[in-house]
Amino acid sequence: MCANIEDAGDLGYRNPIALPLATLVELWSAAEFRSRLSNDALDGLGGTDGRVLWELGFRGRVRPGVLARVMGIGAPSISKAIVRLTDRGFIEVVPDPVDARASLVGLTGEGRVVARELYRVGDDLIARLTADWSDADARRAAQLLTRLAAAARGMVEREPE
């Protein structure tokens, strides 16, 4: 992890948005950052398990392979997380109604409570990080980030040329 954004300034980015965005992505993706957030939300919930709950809250029921792909982890890791979270009563595995040979994983009622708590922790984090921002700055940042996210989603969802 870069000690600070100034230390990474010689990477050669030409776009002024690229370095701060890359820094945020790197920080947000760091295992210790995710683990700290999830442990704040629920004592003893590890980073991978917290991310599984976050993803299922965001996406709804999905196949385990899809979950592993979007999280960038292997099938054995996602299988272990599914077992841990099922044992804790946070997720359930159900048959896929489209393909009887496959299964879907999704949140239980208790899992939705935990996912909401993870989102609350994220909201609180953003509130702390932007505490000295004006309301106008916060609204403008939200507008710009929403546009950036929509453009990125469009790029990912577009069929390869």
Side-chain angles (χ1 to χ4, degrees):
M1 220 183 307
C2 286
N4 60 53
I5 199 166
E6 290 79 22
D7 292 343
D10 63 349
L11 294 176
Y13 285 117
R14 293 183 311 271
N15 187 304
I17 297 171
L19 181 57
L21 184 60
T23 302
L24 283 172
V25 168
E26 188 262 339
L27 288 168
W28 231 263
S29 301
E32 70 251 24
F33 185 84
R34 288 193 323 264
S35 180
R36 183 173 300 157
L37 284 179
S38 62
N39 284 333
D40 284 349
L42 184 68
D43 189 36
L45 185 66
T48 298
D49 292 354
R51 176 90 191 280
V52 167
L53 294 173
W54 188 95
E55 289 291 346
L56 291 175
F58 184 74
R59 296 174 190 284
R61 287 186 173 161
V62 297
R63 289 184 177 181
V66 169
L67 195 55
R69 181 179 48 78
V70 299
M71 289 180 60
I73 63 175
S77 295
I78 203 66
S79 294
K80 290 175 187 174
I82 289 169
V83 168
R84 283 191 305 270
L85 292 168
T86 300
D87 288 349
R88 291 184 76 173
F90 296 153
I91 65 172
E92 62 185 352
V93 181
V94 298
D96 185 335
V98 176
D99 182 352
R101 299 167 298 170
S103 61
L104 300 174
V105 292
L107 297 174
T108 63
E110 191 174 349
R112 280 189 287 284
V113 169
V114 175
R116 277 191 220 101
E117 180 64 10
L118 290 170
Y119 297 147
R120 185 200 59 75
V121 169
D123 283 344
D124 290 350
L125 172 69
I126 295 298
R128 285 194 315 260
L129 295 174
T130 60
D132 62 342
W133 292 22
S134 70
D135 287 345
D137 283 348
R139 278 192 305 277
R140 185 66 179 147
Q143 291 168 344
L144 294 171
L145 289 170
T146 299
R147 283 178 53 197
L148 186 62
R153 182 174 305 283
M155 186 178 87
V156 168
E157 292 173 352
R158 227 177 286 128
E159 290 190 30
E161 297 174 359

